[in-house]
């Protein structure tokens, strides 16, 4: 607990191509981040957990579709 962790997100299309320059919102566990993936579909952020479990919600928005993914 209370140790900084780096979370790496990988956004891909169903065919495996990266979702570059794609907005991702992260909420939960006292954090709220608005990230954008790089050209390879990767985005990262740091979180310092205050409990042994962390619940986060990820919202990925990519035109023309929108995906909603919830992870715990």
């Amino acid at each position: 607990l209370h140790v900084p962790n780096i979370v790496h997100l990988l956004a891909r299309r169903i065919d495996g191509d990266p979702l570059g320059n794609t907005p991702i919102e992260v909420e939960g566990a006292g954090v709220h981040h608005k990230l954008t993936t790089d050209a390879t579909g990767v985005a990262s952020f740091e979180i310092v957990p205050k409990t042994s479990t962390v619940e986060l919600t990820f919202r990925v928005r990519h035109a023309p579709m929108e995906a909603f993914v919830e992870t715990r």
Side-chain angles (χ1 to χ4, degrees), residues 1-62:
L1 299 178
H2 305 289
V3 175
N5 288 260
I6 297 175
V7 178
H8 301 283
L9 306 172
L10 178 60
R12 301 264 179 197
R13 296 178 193 266
I14 196 164
D15 64 4
D17 287 342
L19 289 175
N21 197 34
T22 299
I24 299 177
E25 292 180 41
V26 182
E27 292 183 13
V31 300
H32 180 87
H33 294 291
K34 291 186 178 186
L35 311 170
T36 302
T37 61
D38 64 13
T40 65
V42 176
S44 302
F45 67 97
E46 184 176 288
I47 185 171
V48 180
K50 295 177 179 33
T51 62
S52 61
T53 60
V54 175
E55 292 187 23
L56 298 171
T57 300
F58 303 93
R59 287 184 182 86
V60 180
R61 302 183 193 287
H62 184 74

